[in-house]
Amino acid sequence: MKKKKTDSYLSIVMGILTSFGILKPFLRLFSKKYRYKKREPDIKPSKQIPTFYVHGFRGNDSSTQQMVDAAMSYSQNKTFLRVTIDLLGNIDYDGDLGDGPHPIVQVVFKDRFVGNIGITRYLDMILPALANTYHFTQFNAVGHSLGATSLVLEAMKKHRSSHFPRLNKLVLLAGPFDGVVYLGDFPNVNQLTKKGRPILMNLRYLQLLFKRHRFPKNVRILNMYGNVDDDSNTDKYISVISARSIKYILSPVVKEFHEFELLGKFGEHSLIHDNRYAIDVLNRFLYSNEME
């Protein structure tokens, strides 16, 4: 029992340190090396556009499982591919991508206590590895919480990379784009201007703002956020202002930008990804391009 607790604490500490970039030089020495090659000319690119489901801090496969199950039914997939990656970049595959036009990929981080830097590092490995294996050139993505902010950062980071697939549609669920409640963001303190810019901007938000020109232009985005309707204007962890602040950054850049609010008890941060109504909305956006 003691060993299990020790391993758990070590995983938490390592994940947090990796998230702040402290262990990046060390991890480069031991991580699996990925060498990307340009797609061979005799290999015909696949027309498949897989959807990647990415959880956030302290998440696991259960965080996105209901979305994955619903997506399989909606897009008529009989299977999905679960990709699990550990701290050193070792990737385990379970399931299959299938041959449908919109295959499902569930991304799981073995070290659950991981932040934006750690998640983008994992995506750096997973996305090109799968693209090289299955030869797809485009992908969709759904990110919850830190998974949402990390997908935005990744798109900006790899906007000109030839070995990365091109982002097509992106669903952001409860993204903490301008702080977390009581960690840089206080309920009902920050406000949006008439143009949608938050009055108070943290360093992460400024980083996204200054790099917005790097975000790919032809992406369609659905930004979904919760409001438990208790006068705090939050989903208990992320304020409505923080979640909506991404519109000011990306709306002028991308092809389409939609917003959707989930009001009431099922708009709570950890319930949004299991909300049947929310799942139906994002499925129609991803797989039929219908928005109400």
Side-chain angles (χ1 to χ4, degrees):
M1 182 66 74
K2 280 187 176 181
K3 187 176 186 307
K4 278 190 175 181
K5 284 187 176 181
T6 301
D7 291 344
S8 178
Y9 294 147
L10 180 61
S11 177
I12 293 171
V13 173
M14 294 283 279
I16 292 173
L17 290 176
T18 304
S19 297
F20 285 99
I22 297 173
L23 292 181
K24 285 177 75 176
F26 172 79
L27 291 173
R28 286 195 187 103
L29 297 175
F30 296 95
S31 297
K32 185 174 180 180
K33 302 297 182 183
Y34 290 87
R35 294 184 178 179
Y36 309 118
K37 297 180 180 179
K38 291 185 177 180
R39 191 172 286 102
E40 297 294 334
D42 59 333
I43 297 178
K44 187 177 180 180
S46 171
K47 292 183 179 180
Q48 287 184 310
I49 304 179
T51 300
F52 288 75
Y53 290 80
V54 182
H55 67 76
F57 185 76
R58 292 181 60 194
N60 53 31
D61 57 338
S62 65
S63 302
T64 57
Q65 192 60 54
Q66 290 200 40
M67 291 190 292
V68 166
D69 291 341
M72 287 176 62
S73 175
Y74 196 94
S75 59
Q76 299 183 340
N77 280 292
K78 295 181 180 180
T79 185
F80 73 96
L81 179 65
R82 177 178 292 140
V83 180
T84 304
I85 186 167
D86 67 13
L87 188 65
L88 296 181
N90 299 302
I91 303 176
D92 291 326
Y93 301 93
D94 183 23
D96 187 71
L97 207 62
D99 56 4
H102 298 290
I104 308 299
V105 182
Q106 183 184 52
V107 178
V108 181
F109 309 121
K110 197 169 184 179
D111 300 287
R112 297 169 56 198
F113 296 85
V114 63
N116 286 314
I117 293 176
I119 293 175
T120 55
R121 175 179 170 271
Y122 292 145
L123 294 174
D124 282 348
M125 302 175 190
I126 292 170
L127 285 166
L130 287 181
N132 287 343
T133 300
Y134 294 99
H135 312 298
F136 59 85
T137 59
Q138 299 182 62
F139 74 101
N140 299 330
V142 178
H144 176 251
S145 194
L146 284 187
T149 54
S150 298
L151 283 166
V152 173
L153 283 165
E154 184 71 0
M156 292 177 173
K157 181 180 176 184
K158 298 296 183 181
H159 70 299
R160 291 182 179 174
S161 179
S162 60
H163 61 258
F164 257 71
R166 181 171 60 84
L167 182 60
N168 179 52
K169 293 182 182 179
L170 176 62
V171 178
L172 306 170
L173 285 173
F177 299 105
D178 195 20
V180 178
V181 170
Y182 300 121
L183 290 173
D185 184 27
F186 297 90
N188 296 317
V189 172
N190 203 1
Q191 299 292 328
L192 297 178
T193 66
K194 289 183 179 180
K195 292 184 177 181
R197 177 180 59 80
I199 295 173
L200 304 175
M201 296 175 280
N202 64 19
L203 291 176
R204 174 66 71 195
Y205 187 84
L206 289 171
Q207 178 190 13
L208 294 173
L209 179 60
F210 292 148
K211 292 183 178 180
R212 70 176 172 184
H213 64 282
R214 297 184 180 181
F215 197 88
K217 305 297 186 291
N218 290 321
V219 179
R220 294 176 169 88
I221 294 179
L222 171 60
N223 185 35
M224 307 182 76
Y225 55 91
N227 186 345
V228 293
D229 202 22
D230 63 354
D231 297 326
S232 69
N233 290 306
T234 71
D235 66 7
K236 289 191 176 179
Y237 296 95
I238 311 299
S239 72
V240 171
I241 299 298
S242 180
R244 292 192 64 201
S245 64
I246 192 63
K247 182 178 181 180
Y248 179 77
I249 294 175
L250 295 183
S251 182
V253 177
V254 298
K255 189 171 186 177
E256 292 178 14
F257 191 100
H258 305 276
E259 285 188 312
F260 194 90
E261 182 180 41
L262 295 156
L263 193 63
K265 64 179 182 179
F266 293 108
E268 197 268 337
H269 189 76
S270 58
L271 296 179
I272 289 177
H273 50 61
D274 296 338
N275 185 312
R276 291 184 179 179
Y277 184 50
I279 292 173
D280 181 61
V281 171
L282 70 86
N283 278 341
R284 285 188 284 115
F285 172 75
L286 288 169
Y287 305 117
S288 65
N289 203 29
E290 294 178 11
M291 289 294 300
E292 295 180 356

